[in-house]
Amino acid sequence: MTALHLHGGCGDFERARTGLLDGEWLRRLPRKIDARDHLRDALEVFEKLGARP
């Protein structure tokens, strides 16, 4: 997704948040298989950072 490439100078949280939004968008299309990588990557970063819902 283009938005992820634009986050070059941003922190991990911002990139994970964008990945989460991209994954949600793909899931609604429905492109669930395409969404998995974005959602999995975002989850890993959020867990590493200790982010809570």
Side-chain angles (χ1 to χ4, degrees):
M1 301 288 147
T2 304
L4 286 173
H5 298 292
L6 295 175
H7 278 299
C10 292
D12 290 338
F13 184 85
E14 289 81 9
R15 281 193 298 276
R17 177 76 175 130
T18 301
L20 173 63
L21 294 173
D22 283 345
E24 290 174 343
W25 177 73
L26 287 168
R27 206 178 73 212
R28 287 186 193 112
L29 282 181
R31 290 175 49 190
K32 293 180 182 180
I33 293 173
D34 295 330
R36 287 180 189 164
D37 289 335
H38 293 282
L39 295 172
R40 189 178 300 118
D41 292 345
L43 176 62
E44 287 176 10
V45 173
F46 289 138
E47 288 177 341
K48 180 181 87 172
L49 296 174
R52 299 183 48 113

